[in-house]
Amino acid sequence: MLCAGQVFAQVSTEERSYLHQWEKAAVRAEQAIDTGRASSAAFEKLRKELTQYRQRFQEVKGANAERIDTLEGQIAALGEAPAEGKSEPEDIADLRQNLTVQLNKLRVPRMIAQEAYSRADGLIGEIDTIIRERRTRHLLERGPSPLNPELWPGAVLVLSRAGLTFWHETKAQISNDTTIERISNRLPAILALLLMGGLLILRGRPWARRMGEYLRQLGARGTGVWTFVVSLLQVILPLLGIIVLVAAVELSGILGLRGTLMLEHVPGWAFVILTFHWLGEQIFVVRRDSSAVSGTGGRLGEARLIMDALAIVLVIQDALNQFYLLENTTVESRAVLSFPLILVAALGLYRLNRIGRANIATAEAEEDQDGENRVAVGANRALSVLRRIVHFLGVVAPILAAVGYVNAAEAMIYPAISTLALFAALILLRRFLADLYAWASGQGAAAYDSLMIVAIGFVLTLLAVPVVALIWGGRVADLTELWSRFLDGFQLGDTRISPAVFLSFVVVFAIGYGATRLLQSNLRTSLLPKTKIDPGGQNAIVSGVGYVGVFLAALVAISMAGLDLSSLAIVAGALSVGIGFGLQTIVSNFVSGIILLVERPISKGDWIEVGGLMGYVRDISVRSTRIETFDRSDVIVPNSDLITGTVTNYTRGNTVGRVIVPVGVAYGTDPRRVESILREIAQSHPMVLLNPPPNVIFQGFGADSLDFEIRAILRDVNWVLSVKSDLNYEIAARFAAEEIEIPFAQRDLWLRNPEVLTGGARAAETAGGQPAPVAGGQSVQPDLDDLQVTPTEETTDSDGESDADR
């Protein structure tokens, strides 16, 4: 074990200097945390500095890992060190000491980095806790009610004083000789900037619309894409004009200190107003073919005005925050000045929710089969849920502000507006990307139902999550911390799983998998067809290469990613027992599939019969075999049935097979003549082999005919039904020409006691002229004239009396 002096003695001078700086920063952070008097901004700055140190220590912790493992393996190879009082060979002792010194030199920086990392991580956590507690107290802090009339004059006075101060500063700055000289010297540049900015503000939107009309006249493809781009130009061009005007004002220097500080925020405010106006035009439009919400022009026009009003509220609220930083404003004045904005924002959200709820039914009713409209209606449904949440916050926020919780009300109402605008922008961006994909792929409306559109929406949602967190008060430091934790990964056994490791595994496995599929394709189409291997063998080779390739790709990917799963072997062994019982059927089919691919008792294309099913083998996988029956139905047969059951393979090795055609002729026909005719018919068929020649067998004397059979060997047994049909056709034709009769069984009806039927009918006529009733309420009237009784056979019982005599 190394003591502290030995540890630092093995650290380089540069590292000692860095550790000294770290120690000073850590002590300063601990003192600030203990006193708790530093501002939140100072804590954020200190946290950023600690994060940089922690990142450096994180890198040092993982350095020289391979070299340390190598040295530990070398020391382990020397065996255990001798016990006290015992010695070992001098060369081994020197080698052990040398390796130990090298190992300690590499371990010391890691030990120091581990300790420093833990200390920095703890300090960062304490700072985060302090900042969160302060923000929570700020939100829950209750101040004076803005509804108190006594506070109104003071707020108006503060606002008027600020306006007068701004005016006097600007007036004094303009009348200053230095300012006049500056303006005169820079007058051409200032006038050029004013002219350019004015043109962009006044004519930027008309220029963008004219460009869109020009593209439509040209009949450009991707109308939705170009419409979106043109709509963005209607925001970008006026915004550039405002930026140019701000540059002209800064160049002139006519504003005082407060005016200059407020002027820096003008481009941001202009961006908010123009963006909200653009969102209102894109979301709330009258024309259904390019809208996300449809409805009457009056309601949607009102919705666009509300969007503009909400943008102005956000701008004024941010301007007031800047004003509070510049002026020493009391809490009472802040509450009074903030409450009207909160109330206007709440009313705007309430009215916007009513309009959206009224138009959602109209948008769904007008939905048709066009892909763009389906995207629009889906966007409208997504916004409806968000509108309800925002509406609830808009109702609660003014109530909280009225009772004095102005900070909490502002933390609810303004992020709600920004969130609504963000999701509206995401919907428009998704629609634009869908139009772009439909245009680029050439699929048209069918592209809107593709998986790519779903993936686009999923990616946009993921990207929106951190933005939403920032809108609702999340700190950049918190998001950075979460991202660092995510990149750091988690520990699994002796291996740390991180996104980098996972990405490395995926990339290597994807390369190996692609190479395997490419090799299979080349084997299937180029190499194997040129060999003498049968199709079944070729399929087995291709399948085997695929399984081996996937296994090797996974093995190499695990090795390249640095995953050490040996620690999980015990757990895997314990789980394998339980999994074995649950998956024994699947394992049995898997092993049977391997046997089928290796031994190949059946091959792809064979005609087999198994379990009462007959058909062609179309595919053999590791779990099952697909058989296509003669009625074109696919039957999936587990591989274990093919190994353990009885399988008849009609085409194994070759397609030669036998056909048997039974024939019967009438008694009295010359059998030799029949034999000659049947042999001629069989020999004349092209599918019948002449070596061995077909045979005609006289089976015997049947009940109704003389029975013969044609037995012939076919070139391809797959044509057995077709050959049998051809032979039967030819037999019928030849027998008709040779006047040979093909008998068929005849049966005559014989009644044992016909007088019973005659007597029953007469008895019925005597009783009332009606036939006797039978079960079910119906009667039977036999027609004796049409009934013919022809006894054809007689049987004799044991006493010598025949049936006819009785």
Side-chain angles (χ1 to χ4, degrees):
M1 181 66 66
L2 296 174
C3 63
Q6 291 174 328
V7 167
F8 284 98
Q10 299 186 50
V11 178
S12 64
T13 305
E14 182 181 356
E15 290 174 342
R16 283 199 202 122
S17 176
Y18 187 80
L19 290 175
H20 182 66
Q21 297 175 7
W22 151 245
E23 185 67 23
K24 292 172 59 178
V27 171
R28 188 170 69 253
E30 290 171 349
Q31 292 175 352
I33 292 172
D34 292 338
T35 59
R37 296 179 181 178
S39 63
S40 297
F43 272 123
E44 290 285 2
K45 184 178 180 180
L46 185 58
R47 185 193 186 283
K48 184 178 180 181
E49 184 179 357
L50 294 176
T51 303
Q52 295 175 353
Y53 281 110
R54 186 182 64 176
Q55 181 64 29
R56 172 69 180 276
F57 295 140
Q58 174 69 20
E59 295 173 356
V60 175
K61 280 197 314 176
N64 299 320
E66 294 81 4
R67 180 58 179 162
I68 291 176
D69 292 338
T70 302
L71 291 173
E72 290 177 346
Q74 289 179 279
I75 295 175
L78 297 177
E80 296 184 1
E84 190 173 342
K86 296 184 179 181
S87 61
E88 61 180 346
E90 184 178 355
D91 53 348
I92 296 179
D94 293 341
L95 180 59
R96 186 188 303 275
Q97 182 179 3
N98 185 24
L99 293 175
T100 304
V101 171
Q102 296 182 42
L103 183 61
N104 290 334
K105 286 183 179 180
L106 295 177
R107 279 179 172 175
V108 165
R110 298 184 67 179
M111 295 167 56
I112 297 175
Q114 180 64 44
E115 184 274 334
Y117 176 87
S118 301
R119 186 179 181 184
D121 190 61
L123 293 175
I124 290 173
E126 293 182 32
I127 292 175
D128 288 338
T129 302
I130 293 174
I131 294 176
R132 293 193 189 99
E133 290 177 353
R134 287 183 177 182
R135 299 185 69 173
T136 303
R137 287 196 302 267
H138 176 73
L139 291 177
L140 300 180
E141 182 180 2
R142 183 180 180 184
S145 173
L147 301 180
N148 187 359
E150 295 180 357
L151 305 179
W152 297 353
V156 175
L157 181 61
V158 169
L159 197 60
S160 61
R161 285 179 179 175
L164 290 175
T165 303
F166 176 79
W167 168 252
H168 289 311
E169 283 185 354
T170 304
K171 184 178 180 181
Q173 190 71 16
I174 293 175
S175 60
N176 192 351
D177 295 336
T178 304
T179 305
I180 295 174
E181 183 179 358
R182 179 187 300 174
I183 293 175
S184 61
N185 293 334
R186 303 176 178 177
L187 185 60
I190 294 174
L191 292 178
L193 292 175
L194 291 175
L195 179 61
M196 183 184 303
L199 286 175
L200 289 174
I201 293 174
L202 297 177
R203 302 299 303 169
R205 291 176 60 84
W207 287 346
R209 285 194 294 267
R210 194 171 301 172
M211 182 183 299
E213 294 176 357
Y214 176 73
L215 290 174
R216 279 192 290 270
Q217 290 176 359
L218 292 178
R221 294 178 55 208
T223 306
V225 176
W226 293 115
T227 301
F228 184 84
V229 173
V230 169
S231 66
L232 285 181
L233 289 178
Q234 296 181 13
V235 176
I236 295 174
L237 294 180
L239 181 61
L240 289 177
I242 293 175
I243 294 175
V244 171
L245 288 182
V246 169
V249 174
E250 289 180 347
L251 189 63
S252 64
I254 60 176
L255 297 179
L257 176 61
R258 289 175 175 80
T260 302
L261 294 177
M262 299 294 285
L263 186 65
E264 295 176 356
H265 300 277
V266 171
W269 297 338
F271 175 76
V272 171
I273 293 176
L274 291 173
T275 301
F276 271 68
H277 184 75
W278 174 74
L279 290 175
E281 286 186 339
Q282 296 297 310
I283 295 293
F284 302 104
V285 291
V286 179
R287 292 181 304 167
R288 184 172 60 87
D289 59 349
S290 61
S291 65
V293 175
S294 61
T296 60
R299 280 198 307 234
L300 298 182
E302 180 185 356
R304 292 196 295 270
L305 292 177
I306 292 174
M307 291 290 291
D308 294 339
L310 292 177
I312 295 174
V313 167
L314 290 179
V315 170
I316 296 176
Q317 184 265 343
D318 187 66
L320 287 177
N321 288 336
Q322 301 302 323
F323 168 71
Y324 298 152
L325 295 176
L326 295 176
E327 304 292 338
N328 188 14
T329 310
T330 61
V331 178
E332 293 79 4
S333 299
R334 293 185 180 184
V336 173
L337 295 176
S338 300
F339 183 72
L341 295 176
I342 296 174
L343 189 60
V344 171
L347 292 175
L349 292 178
Y350 171 78
R351 186 57 187 165
L352 196 62
N353 180 64
R354 292 290 300 272
I355 295 174
R357 189 167 54 187
N359 290 333
I360 185 67
T362 305
E364 291 180 350
E366 294 178 346
E367 179 182 3
D368 55 17
Q369 297 301 318
D370 182 66
E372 184 178 355
N373 288 331
R374 287 198 295 274
V375 173
V377 173
N380 199 7
R381 292 170 182 170
L383 276 176
S384 62
V385 178
L386 181 62
R387 270 200 308 268
R388 294 189 184 96
I389 300 175
V390 171
H391 172 66
F392 172 76
L393 297 178
V395 172
V396 174
I399 299 176
L400 292 177
V403 297
Y405 292 99
V406 178
N407 296 332
E410 290 181 340
M412 294 173 61
I413 193 72
Y414 298 129
I417 297 174
S418 301
T419 303
L420 188 63
L422 173 64
F423 275 84
L426 287 177
I427 290 171
L428 294 177
L429 182 58
R430 177 180 180 272
R431 188 175 66 182
F432 165 70
L433 294 177
D435 292 337
L436 184 62
Y437 175 72
W439 174 41
S441 63
Q443 299 179 14
Y448 295 97
D449 294 327
S450 64
L451 185 61
M452 179 62 69
I453 305 302
V454 178
I456 290 174
F458 179 73
V459 172
L460 291 178
T461 302
L462 288 182
L463 295 177
V465 170
V467 181
V468 172
L470 293 176
I471 289 175
W472 286 93
R475 298 160 51 225
V476 177
D478 292 334
L479 298 179
T480 305
E481 185 72 15
L482 289 175
W483 182 250
S484 299
R485 299 291 184 187
F486 174 73
L487 294 180
D488 193 31
F490 60 93
Q491 196 73 23
L492 181 63
D494 294 334
T495 304
R496 176 164 292 276
I497 305 298
S498 64
V501 172
F502 178 76
L503 183 61
S504 175
F505 171 81
V506 171
V507 170
V508 175
F509 180 77
I511 293 174
Y513 183 82
T516 301
R517 293 307 181 198
L518 182 61
L519 178 60
Q520 284 183 294
S521 177
N522 290 331
L523 287 175
R524 185 183 295 109
T525 59
S526 299
L527 181 60
L528 293 179
K530 299 177 181 179
T531 64
K532 296 181 180 181
I533 303 175
D534 59 276
Q538 296 180 14
N539 181 66
I541 293 175
V542 172
S543 300
V545 169
Y547 299 136
V548 173
V550 171
F551 175 76
L552 292 179
L555 195 63
V556 173
I558 292 174
S559 177
M560 293 293 291
L563 298 177
D564 183 12
L565 304 182
S566 58
S567 59
L568 301 179
I570 299 177
V571 179
L575 291 177
S576 62
V577 178
I579 295 175
F581 286 105
L583 302 179
Q584 56 182 345
T585 303
I586 296 177
V587 173
S588 175
N589 290 327
F590 181 82
V591 174
S592 300
I594 295 176
I595 294 174
L596 289 176
L597 293 175
V598 174
E599 295 186 356
R600 296 191 295 116
I602 61 173
S603 302
K604 185 177 180 180
D606 285 353
W607 173 21
I608 67 171
E609 181 180 1
V610 55
L613 295 173
M614 184 180 295
Y616 293 101
V617 177
R618 294 307 184 193
D619 184 46
I620 302 176
S621 63
V622 292
R623 192 196 68 82
S624 61
T625 298
R626 182 170 62 90
I627 298 176
E628 181 183 327
T629 61
F630 295 123
D631 57 359
R632 301 302 181 186
S633 299
D634 280 349
V635 179
I636 307 300
V637 180
N639 287 333
S640 58
D641 293 351
L642 299 174
I643 296 298
T644 60
T646 302
V647 180
T648 302
N649 193 335
Y650 293 97
T651 58
R652 177 61 180 168
N654 55 65
T655 59
V656 175
R658 187 174 65 176
V659 62
I660 299 177
V661 181
V663 183
V665 299
Y667 277 93
T669 308
D670 184 5
R672 293 298 180 180
R673 182 183 173 204
V674 173
E675 178 185 6
S676 175
I677 294 173
L678 295 179
R679 182 174 286 107
E680 291 177 5
I681 293 174
Q683 291 176 350
S684 63
H685 198 284
M687 289 297 296
V688 175
L689 292 177
L690 299 180
N691 185 18
N695 291 327
V696 177
I697 299 175
F698 187 4
Q699 287 286 87
F701 302 94
D704 304 301
S705 62
L706 301 176
D707 297 333
F708 292 83
E709 277 187 359
I710 299 177
R711 296 190 176 188
I713 304 300
L714 303 182
R715 303 177 188 276
D716 191 346
V717 75
N718 293 306
W719 296 86
V720 62
L721 294 178
S722 177
V723 171
K724 184 179 290 188
S725 176
D726 293 342
L727 294 178
N728 285 329
Y729 276 119
E730 187 63 24
I731 290 170
R734 288 290 302 275
F735 280 12
E738 298 290 340
E739 296 182 352
I740 297 176
E741 180 183 359
I742 299 177
F744 58 91
Q746 299 184 17
R747 295 291 181 266
D748 296 330
L749 178 63
W750 177 79
L751 297 178
R752 184 185 297 272
N753 298 315
E755 65 277 2
V756 176
L757 296 177
T758 306
R762 290 174 180 174
E765 291 176 358
T766 304
Q770 298 295 331
V774 295
Q778 298 179 352
S779 59
V780 178
Q781 178 65 51
D783 190 355
L784 299 180
D785 296 335
D786 296 335
L787 181 62
Q788 296 181 359
V789 180
T790 306
T792 58
E793 297 181 4
E794 295 185 0
T795 59
T796 305
D797 53 16
S798 59
D799 57 3
E801 184 180 8
S802 66
D803 292 336
D805 294 335
R806 287 196 294 268

